[in-house]
Amino acid sequence: MSELDAEDAKLVTLARGAMARAEAGSGAAVRDADGRTYAGAPVALNSLELTALQAAVAAAVSSGATGLEAAVLVGGAAEDVGIAAVRELSEGAAVIVTDRAGNVL
């Protein structure tokens, strides 16, 4: 397990908070190029389905973000389809995947 810097640890905290509020199995948070943060939890409606990471990226984009510095996915998998959305905005953004407790995988 690697040690996270303070800004990435903040993303883990935000992602875990989103996960807890939604009573979900995963949560995500992203930091945009201006340092603003956005969090999300999975959405499962009949008309809309998003992973937590997709929801966090959508929140960032809908708030005007044009690039991302980092993304954290808590309780997810390295194959999450939301990673493609992160890469579409910023190919070089750090993507960190952790277990539900926030330990880096």
Side-chain angles (χ1 to χ4, degrees), residues 14-24 26-27 41:
L14 291 171
R16 291 185 73 213
M19 182 175 70
R21 282 189 303 281
E23 297 179 354
S26 64

Side-chain angles (χ1 to χ4, degrees), residues 11-103:
L11 290 179
V12 171
T13 299
L14 291 171
R16 291 185 73 213
M19 182 175 70
R21 282 189 303 281
E23 297 179 354
S26 64
V30 298
R31 183 175 56 252
D32 73 12
D34 295 324
R36 296 174 297 189
T37 57
Y38 309 87
V43 176
L45 303 173
N46 288 333
S47 60
L48 177 66
E49 190 168 340
L50 300 171
T51 68
L53 189 51
Q54 288 174 316
V57 171
V61 171
S62 68
S63 295
T66 57
L68 299 175
E69 290 180 353
V72 166
L73 175 58
V74 173
E79 301 81 30
D80 189 285
V81 295
I83 294 173
V86 172
R87 295 288 178 237
E88 185 174 338
L89 283 178
S90 299
E91 184 64 35
V95 177
I96 301 162
V97 180
T98 76
D99 62 16
R100 290 177 49 106
N103 301 306

